[in-house]
Each structure stands twice: as structure tokens, then as C-alpha cells.
Amino acid sequence: MTARLVALCLDANDPLRLVRFWAGVLGWEMIDDPRDGVTLLPNDDTGFRIRCLPTREEKTGPNRMHFDLTSTSLEDQRRTVDRALGLGARHIDVGQLPQEGHVVLADPEGNEFCVIEPGNAFLADCGFIGALAGDGSQEVGYFWSEALGWPLVWDQDQETAVRSPHGGPKVTWGGPPVAPKTGRNRLHFDLAPPADGDQRAEVDRLVSLGATRIDIDRHEPGQVAMADPDGNEFCVLTPR
């Protein structure tokens, strides 16, 4: 049995502030979990938590992955943008064209996210978090499909996307050219085997799929730090 995606982790200089921001934007419940720290619990079929983890490192350059938030109407899109701005977001320019309908914002720590215009067919049934949109190769899309046991729902022109069989957001990779990786990603996945699973066996399985074990300065006891074929860090937790 494959590991499941437990959480999307965000490195933060002020974790509590960032958790409060995303709780306000998403409408998710904030809890203080003795094992996982300050965490947001989804109120829909997203299927994973959001954890904000402390770091002293400042953000440098754009993230490799960002949220695409969906809208049901132009008014709904405006409400989401206004709510995010009121909570501490700001408009940013990442090269988007004036005629494009999505709005590009950054959260209080500079993490990019998009509020997508209504009528986007690709994200039509994906919920408020429509996608975790990433910069990555076709190979990494294939890896994560196997790693999570999620089917490929898009595989064209070296662009790939996977989605849980239970619904929720798509995870997408835009294909080449893939920007060079600079430093540690501020967003990473936490995976965990099921309660009756085996962490070491899962690590070995992921290595057989193309992952590598890595040494990082900061990870929590019991976790195994790894990197996918594009070098993106992720952690394998103990069974849960």
C-alpha cells in the first residue's frame, strides 16, 4: 500500500501569522497538534493538511509550486482577492498579461498564489483549491503518480497532472523549460505510510521509483528526508 499525502508544509519566518492568513483565506480550522504543530484542517475534500514550519531563511526567488484558487463568478473572484488583501496579501507581477483573467497575489511571506477566473474547465470540479501548480518535468509527474497512487489526469506536451481518486486539488507540472532549483524549497510534501505500514519499506519503494535520500539541516525526529527526481524535498513520516 502506498503512502498518503498527509500535509503540504510551508516554511515560514512567522508560522503563526502565515497559518492565520491561510485559515482566513481558505476558511479552514486552525489547530495546535502536539505532533504536527500549528496546522490547518481542510473543511472539504482537499485531503491533506497545511502545516507552517519555522525557518530563519528568507525567501529568495519564486516558489516551484503555488496554489490556484478557483472562482464561481467574477464577484466571487473579487471577494477572494479582497479577503486575501485584507488579511495581508499583495498584488505581484510574475509576467502575467493584462488580458489574462487570473489575479496573482503573494501571501504575507511572499509565497505566490493565483485566484483563477470563473469558467476554467481544467479546474471545474476541483474545489476552492483547484490545483497545486508546479514547475517541473514530465518525469516528476510520473514519479508522483506512482508515489501517491494517484492517476495521471493530464499528460500532454510534457505537461502532467495527477489527482487523488477521492477528489480534491490537482497537482500539476508545467514541463520544460524547468527553471534551475536554487536552494531549499519553501513548500514540501509530508507523506506517511498507513498505520499498519512500514516507513523503511516505503522509503525503499520511493527510491526504486527515482527518489533519493538527502541530508537537510532541519527535519523532525522520525522523519526521512528525500528528494524527487527534480530535486524537490519531501519527508516520509512514521506510519499514521
Side-chain angles (χ1 to χ4, degrees):
M1 184 178 293
T2 60
R4 66 185 181 91
L5 175 57
V6 173
L8 173 69
C9 300
L10 284 70
D11 285 354
N13 302 124
D14 187 342
L16 187 57
R17 181 189 183 200
L18 195 60
V19 163
R20 286 172 173 164
F21 170 83
W22 282 107
V25 171
L26 300 175
W28 289 14
E29 179 186 1
M30 184 172 67
I31 64 166
D32 188 6
D33 187 307
R35 177 165 59 176
D36 292 334
V38 181
T39 299
L40 293 180
L41 294 180
N43 58 9
D44 53 21
D45 67 351
T46 297
F48 56 83
R49 301 179 174 197
I50 293 176
R51 301 176 62 206
C52 291
L53 305 176
T55 182
R56 294 182 180 179
E57 297 178 10
E58 298 292 331
K59 183 176 185 292
T60 57
N63 291 332
R64 273 192 160 186
M65 182 169 285
H66 66 268
F67 286 127
D68 280 345
L69 306 181
T70 62
S71 305
T72 58
S73 66
L74 288 175
E75 179 58 32
D76 182 50
Q77 184 185 30
R78 283 192 291 268
R79 282 195 298 267
T80 299
V81 170
D82 289 346
R83 183 167 70 252
L85 294 173
L87 291 165
R90 58 186 172 86
H91 288 278
I92 58 171
D93 182 359
V94 294
Q96 67 270 30
L97 300 175
Q99 64 268 30
E100 293 179 306
H102 64 280
V103 179
V104 185
L105 302 172
D107 71 17
E109 298 225 352
N111 300 302
E112 306 84 2
F113 66 101
C114 294
V115 185
I116 306 299
E117 68 278 12
N120 185 295
F122 184 68
L123 304 178
D125 63 344
C126 292
F128 186 39
I129 300 180
L132 292 171
D135 185 24
S137 65
Q138 185 181 48
E139 179 186 10
V140 87
Y142 292 167
F143 167 81
W144 282 107
S145 177
E146 293 290 336
L148 296 173
W150 291 8
L152 281 164
V153 294
W154 184 265
D155 185 11
Q156 293 186 26
D157 301 322
Q158 300 189 62
E159 298 175 357
T160 53
V162 300
R163 190 183 186 199
S164 168
H166 305 293
K170 293 176 178 175
V171 185
T172 71
W173 296 272
V178 179
K181 188 174 184 294
T182 57
R184 174 187 166 101
N185 291 345
R186 292 184 79 83
L187 282 72
H188 76 264
F189 290 148
D190 275 354
L191 311 185
D196 60 349
D198 182 274
Q199 184 188 41
R200 180 178 296 180
E202 181 59 23
V203 168
D204 290 344
R205 186 184 73 89
L206 293 167
V207 168
S208 75
L209 295 174
T212 55
R213 294 187 63 149
I214 59 173
D215 291 321
I216 57 176
D217 294 335
R218 177 181 54 79
H219 65 278
E220 299 167 60
Q223 295 185 354
V224 177
M226 306 192 75
D228 70 19
D230 279 0
N232 302 301
E233 302 86 359
F234 66 97
C235 290
V236 180
L237 313 182
T238 54
R240 57 182 66 191

